[in-house]
Amino acid sequence: MEAIYPYAHLIHLLLAIIFLGYVFTDVFMISSLKNKFGKETDEKINQTLGSKSFKIFPISLLVIVLTGGMMMSRYINSTAGFFETDIQKLLVIKIVLALIIVAGVLFNLFTKFTGRKKPKFMQEQFHKVVLILGFFIVVLAKMMFSA
């Protein structure tokens, strides 16, 4: 595991930047375009962006979770313990925040594949929640290895 840790770390960071960058762009840039061009054009924009993000978003999140799990095993395991150190405690908080994001993405995938309508909150607020949780995940990651 130690041999592949730097590669998993690099992939994890690059995909996290892409993932949060897309969410940031959606929250602050793309959402400002809504209702600016008329209903038909807005629907085309949403369909185009939705089809692209549907291909990138879940796959990148899956790889982020897999690489995160690989890296997590270095700090949380039967030998090192689970809640023994401050790093482990911060890491557990990061994992919980990440699992909230994963649960939301899985819920959105479920609604898409079953043809159900997304709740209004998931349509209008989920990316904001992801952005806030992502911010705290980044801050916690920095806190884990500071001082």
Side-chain angles (χ1 to χ4, degrees):
M1 181 59 211
E2 289 299 315
I4 61 171
Y5 183 90
Y7 302 107
H9 190 210
L10 181 63
I11 291 167
H12 186 82
L13 289 175
L14 290 174
L15 286 177
I17 290 167
I18 291 168
F19 184 86
L20 287 176
Y22 170 77
V23 174
F24 178 86
T25 303
D26 183 56
V27 168
F28 290 106
M29 307 292 237
I30 297 169
S31 63
S32 67
L33 295 175
K34 291 180 180 168
N35 303 319
K36 300 281 187 205
F37 301 106
K39 188 174 183 175
E40 188 176 306
T41 305
D42 283 345
E43 286 177 14
K44 286 181 182 178
I45 291 170
N46 286 336
Q47 287 176 351
T48 303
L49 293 174
S51 68
K52 295 288 184 187
S53 67
F54 181 72
K55 293 174 185 171
I56 296 168
F57 214 55
I59 293 169
S60 65
L61 184 61
L62 175 64
V63 177
I64 290 169
V65 168
L66 292 174
T67 55
M70 292 166 63
M71 292 186 307
M72 175 195 73
S73 68
R74 180 186 217 187
Y75 301 100
I76 296 179
N77 57 50
S78 59
T79 305
F82 298 94
F83 300 103
E84 312 300 322
T85 66
D86 289 339
I87 287 177
Q88 291 171 331
K89 292 171 186 169
L90 293 173
L91 183 55
V92 168
I93 295 169
K94 277 181 57 181
I95 292 167
V96 169
L97 297 179
L99 287 175
I100 294 169
I101 295 172
V102 169
V105 170
L106 289 174
F107 177 79
N108 282 339
L109 289 172
F110 172 77
T111 58
K112 181 163 181 76
F113 284 127
T114 59
R116 298 176 189 206
K117 186 168 172 42
K118 281 187 202 175
K120 189 171 183 160
F121 175 82
M122 293 303 278
Q123 285 181 329
E124 297 177 4
Q125 306 299 328
F126 181 61
H127 281 181
K128 293 173 188 168
V129 171
V130 170
L131 192 59
I132 292 167
L133 293 175
F135 171 79
F136 284 111
I137 289 169
V138 170
V139 169
L140 287 167
K142 179 63 178 162
M143 288 172 57
M144 285 172 59
F145 301 105
S146 295

